[in-house]
Amino acid sequence: MLKTKMEELQLNDFQYDLPDDRIARFPLAQRDQSKLLEYRQGKITHRSFFELPDLLPQNSLLVFNDTKVIPARLHFQRSTGAVIELFLLNPVPVDRLVSEAMQDKNRSIWQCMIGNRKRWKPDEVLTKEIRVGDHTIVVRAQWHDPDQSHIRFEWTPGDESFATILHETGKIPLPPYLNRDVTEADKETYQTVYSRIEGAVAAPTAGLHFTPETFERLVQKGIQTNYLTLHVGAGTFQPIKTTDVRQHAMHTEQVVYSRQNLETLVAHTGPVISVGTTSMRSLESLYWFGLRLLKNEPEPFLLDQKYAYSFSEDELPEKHEAFRAVLDHLQQTEQNQVVAHTGIYCLPGYRFRVVNGLVTNFHQPGSTLILLVAAFIGEAWRTIYSAALENDYRFLSYGDSSLLLP
């Protein structure tokens, strides 16, 4: 969807009927036993996920998001008995590395969604006690900037990291559509086996199907793997409320690219397969960050939802030129990673610059993720989703998977 093709897109065109009993509320006992719908150049074949390594094109680069879900849902009880829920969104300031904020000692400031907000008085300090090892820690939460929903957390003794505080008192924030309480098992099953960098409030769920055995098979098949980090935000569940989906305000997420990411992408000449929509958004965003550098634009690592639709095709470089611009920036600034923020919005008409294939679950009707899938494979998304419903696939975060190769 370049600047000459900004056609209206109606939300109703991206809806489908998802019966409640098709939502997978719990995972399978074995991750790689889920179903896998293979869509290859218009043909649909029904597989099992453990077959994935055999189905990937030769010389593929498989790109994963190694973010780790944090126990981002905290509950404090007022003296009246009312419970205030604090749902962590991002550290303050917004450009601060999430992994850095997780190591805070004594205090940490976060933007939050606040449940029961009206009952929390402006000068009221919420407190709770937690046990860490053989000692008690008092955790306090108070308003830091009410207008921005910034909350200051403090704890004494302050020797433990904020990550430790969260793990002792927070709950894993399951998607709201699961409509159930968190279980002890969710602490493990709602993480990918390769999760590493803490900071997400939702899992990159396409990766939940991978097992150590899957990775062994990828090595045997000569499939190269690479890891970047996008911290999935709560905005991923934000419904589209506008009739014309172009008017939806897209959320922004923090993404971290390493020098090794760039070196791998610059050198790679085969297909790039994204594991999940977050990896796809990260890879496509990287192209536009490179373009911003090539054009010497201010704030090159901040991408809004409209930027990718601002150019004619003849104005745009090849992907390796864009990647090289980011790698050159790292070398010139003597950095080993780039911290960026992306609000990229992939709508039908968007031309994908980087990704050739996508491993992904089945998404909610009328969501930004459905729009991304429709942008990638066109109207075939309806045929694929109908086939999945007819063949008893399980949907959403804990559901089955698909391999999309247009």
Side-chain angles (χ1 to χ4, degrees), residues 61 66 196 224-229 255-268 283 286 301 320 322-340:
L61 171 65
D66 64 3
R196 191 172 64 90
Q224 193 176 2
T225 57
N226 199 246
Y227 300 84
L228 47 74
T229 307
V255 56
V256 182
Y257 307 98
S258 68
R259 183 188 292 258
Q260 195 264 338
N261 289 148
L262 272 300
E263 291 172 344
T264 298
L265 287 165
V266 166
H268 186 71
L283 288 166
L286 184 58
F301 297 109
H320 284 89
F323 293 157
R324 170 58 67 181
V326 183
L327 183 57
D328 288 347
H329 171 80
L330 279 176
Q331 292 169 342
Q332 291 163 9
T333 57
E334 299 183 342
Q335 297 180 78
N336 288 316
Q337 64 180 23
V338 165
V339 181

Side-chain angles (χ1 to χ4, degrees), residues 310-331:
S310 305
F311 303 93
S312 299
E313 191 63 38
D314 58 7
E315 297 178 76
L316 297 174
E318 293 297 316
K319 65 180 181 181
H320 284 89
E321 187 179 351
F323 293 157
R324 170 58 67 181
V326 183
L327 183 57
D328 288 347
H329 171 80
L330 279 176
Q331 292 169 342

Side-chain angles (χ1 to χ4, degrees), residues 37 44 46 382-393:
L37 185 151
I44 292 174
H46 300 289
R382 288 195 169 277
T383 304
I384 290 168
Y385 273 62
S386 294
L389 286 165
E390 291 166 6
N391 287 272
D392 297 323
Y393 279 68

